[in-house]
Amino acid sequence: MREELLIIRFGEVALKGKNKSFFERKMIARIKKVLKGFDKINVTREEGLVFIREYNIEEREDIIKEVSKVFGIASISPALIAKPFLEDIYDASNEFMTSVMEKEDVKTFKIEAKRADKNFPVKSPDLARMVGGAVLKFQKVLSVDVKNPDVYLHVDVRRDKALIYRSKIVGFGGLPLGTNGKGLVLLSGGIDSPVAAWMMAKRGMRIEAIHFHSYPYTSQRARDKVQALAEKLAIYCDEFKMHVVNLLPIQEAIVKDAPEEEMTIHTRRFMMKIAEKIAEKNNCKMLITGESLGQVASQTTESIVATDNAVNIPVMRPLIAMDKIDIMEIAKDIDTYEISILPYEDCCTVFLPKRPVTRPKLDKILESEQALDTEKLIENALENVETVKIVLRD
Ligand code: ATP
Ligand code: MG
């Protein structure tokens, strides 16, 4: 049987200048890592593409599934390999078309030909016509339709081989993981923060997570839910550390000493301050939250100003201008949605004020914060951080 391979195309990495090979190397390393469980796979970089070869054909779909989660990839196509000669290109094209016709009812096709190697003696439009003729001769039931064919068959002639393929499986794009520092995501059990983490990782950022709970007011099930979400993220973001903090003593202090309607804002300021400390300790250069403007009372412009003011470290809010419905779409795409909607309590819902302020004034918040022993409370919380390693589940 003729050998096949997987063509992997770079997305934005292709636009990089001098440092392109740095990004390419990172992406290849990541591809190799996600394919660790498969045997005898060869990953190479050739003429602006990555090829995956020598895999077991039965595992092709599983391999594509894994690779399609690697950031930086624009698309993937399984392709048959021909020698860069007309006869062999005809042969491979016929073989490819036969395999398509075994599975689908195909009546029309069009050849899209391209020569990356300009030394190849036939120009692209002529090549398309010639391969089309060869396929027509072999598959008598087919006809050519240049406007709306059932199948586009691509013939891509390169220096030492020609590649015959059909469709492109679309990847997530972005930049390879590990090309853009590390951020600490404030990970709740909700829909938004896993999406926020994923979006930053898609720009090449490694992540760590911090989760706040109010055990025993929040349950072990709520904790397991966050663990499950983190494990989903690890599929895209690689293994990472999650820092787990009990916020209950701080929440109790806030209930006791701060105005009830400001409860949520004070809580969020403490979360940010604790996260900032943990970020500094773990070489995370930014915080990441799932906040989206106006989504709830604690995410109005004024609330975000009051929350943001708590820290000096840059806070990334990749969802800030997104509609909930679009965030939910991403959550479904990356498979976190079903976990996020499990109805377990969150630490923020344990002490929900009856009438939260929606337009908190920063100076008023800073003033009421004076009643709290912020430093001591944070110090105590930091002493009791539990750090777990999030690894991939089989
Ligand atoms: P999410 O769906 O991410 O929970 P949300 O819409 O419920 O967000 P909030 O509860 O106001 O919004 O939280 C805003 C952001 O604060 C979250 O996206 C997350 O980054 C952070 N956050 C909230 N609760 C927690 C928590 N228990 N642990 C860690 N971070 C949290
Ligand atoms: Mg939430």
Side-chain angles (χ1 to χ4, degrees), residues 133-146:
V135 171
L136 283 173
K137 212 161 104 190
F138 191 76
Q139 306 286 4
K140 302 254 180 324
V141 294
L142 291 182
S143 59
V144 172
D145 180 346
V146 292

Side-chain angles (χ1 to χ4, degrees), residues 5 9 22 27 54 64 72 100 119 142 146 156 176 192 203 208 212 246 262 300 305 320 330 351 366 369:
L5 55 67
R9 298 178 192 82
F22 163 73
M27 196 174 99
E54 293 168 28
I64 292 176
V100 174
N119 292 322
L142 291 182
V146 292
D156 183 356
D192 303 324
R203 294 306 298 170
E208 274 186 30
F212 298 96
N246 191 342
E262 292 176 3
T300 61
V305 167
I320 196 72
I330 299 180
F351 298 93
L366 293 176
E369 205 172 70

Side-chain angles (χ1 to χ4, degrees), residues 186-223:
L186 284 80
L187 189 65
S188 70
I191 294 170
D192 303 324
S193 45
V195 173
W198 181 86
M199 284 177 74
M200 293 309 291
K202 186 157 103 71
R203 294 306 298 170
M205 182 170 257
R206 284 200 167 274
I207 60 158
E208 274 186 30
I210 179 166
H211 174 68
F212 298 96
H213 64 85
S214 321
Y215 192 78
Y217 287 90
T218 55
S219 63
Q220 180 60 36
R221 282 192 312 183
R223 167 76 192 273

Side-chain angles (χ1 to χ4, degrees), residues 67-261:
V67 172
S68 65
K69 292 171 196 150
V70 172
F71 296 135
I73 294 178
S75 65
I76 307 168
S77 309
L80 279 184
I81 307 175
K83 298 192 185 76
F85 311 122
L86 283 173
E87 282 307 320
D88 206 45
I89 292 172
Y90 296 162
D91 230 43
S93 303
N94 282 324
E95 192 179 322
F96 198 106
M97 199 52 112
T98 306
S99 73
V100 174
M101 290 167 73
E102 276 165 9
K103 282 172 254 154
E104 290 170 43
D105 181 23
V106 182
K107 296 206 168 50
T108 58
F109 73 101
K110 180 185 179 188
I111 305 290
E112 299 275 6
K114 191 170 76 186
R115 351 167 252 177
D117 178 15
K118 299 297 174 212
N119 292 322
F120 188 73
V122 185
K123 287 195 176 133
S124 303
D126 298 332
L127 180 61
R129 225 171 300 123
M130 290 158 81
V131 176
V135 171
L136 283 173
K137 212 161 104 190
F138 191 76
Q139 306 286 4
K140 302 254 180 324
V141 294
L142 291 182
S143 59
V144 172
D145 180 346
V146 292
K147 288 226 175 70
N148 191 22
D150 296 333
V151 173
Y152 283 96
L153 195 66
H154 296 260
V155 177
D156 183 356
V157 185
R158 310 184 75 82
R159 200 157 27 84
D160 61 340
K161 59 178 149 315
L163 299 172
I164 319 296
Y165 60 90
R166 182 192 176 185
S167 48
K168 297 181 180 179
I169 298 141
V170 179
F172 286 119
L175 294 171
L177 191 72
T179 56
N180 230 323
K182 187 164 65 167
L184 180 66
V185 59
L186 284 80
L187 189 65
S188 70
I191 294 170
D192 303 324
S193 45
V195 173
W198 181 86
M199 284 177 74
M200 293 309 291
K202 186 157 103 71
R203 294 306 298 170
M205 182 170 257
R206 284 200 167 274
I207 60 158
E208 274 186 30
I210 179 166
H211 174 68
F212 298 96
H213 64 85
S214 321
Y215 192 78
Y217 287 90
T218 55
S219 63
Q220 180 60 36
R221 282 192 312 183
R223 167 76 192 273
D224 294 344
K225 175 182 171 181
V226 176
Q227 175 85 21
L229 280 174
E231 283 167 7
K232 277 281 179 217
L233 284 176
I235 294 173
Y236 306 92
C237 309
D238 209 351
E239 296 173 347
F240 61 89
K241 278 195 281 184
M242 181 161 79
H243 310 276
V244 182
V245 181
N246 191 342
L247 205 62
L248 187 58
I250 290 177
Q251 289 174 300
E252 285 170 340
I254 297 172
V255 167
K256 188 158 103 3
D257 294 327
E260 195 212 330
E261 68 278 10

Side-chain angles (χ1 to χ4, degrees), residues 185-194 210-213 264 268 271 288-291 295-296 298-299 324 346-348:
V185 59
L186 284 80
L187 189 65
S188 70
I191 294 170
D192 303 324
S193 45
I210 179 166
H211 174 68
F212 298 96
H213 64 85
T264 313
R268 298 206 40 74
M271 283 186 177
I288 304 165
T289 78
E291 288 160 307
Q295 198 189 80
V296 288
S298 58
Q299 295 173 27
K324 188 77 183 190
D346 179 63
C347 72
C348 293

Side-chain angles (χ1 to χ4, degrees), residues 307-325:
T307 308
D308 199 64
N309 165 275
V311 289
N312 289 316
I313 187 171
V315 183
M316 297 294 111
R317 298 179 170 87
L319 313 185
I320 196 72
M322 283 180 72
D323 287 6
K324 188 77 183 190
I325 199 110

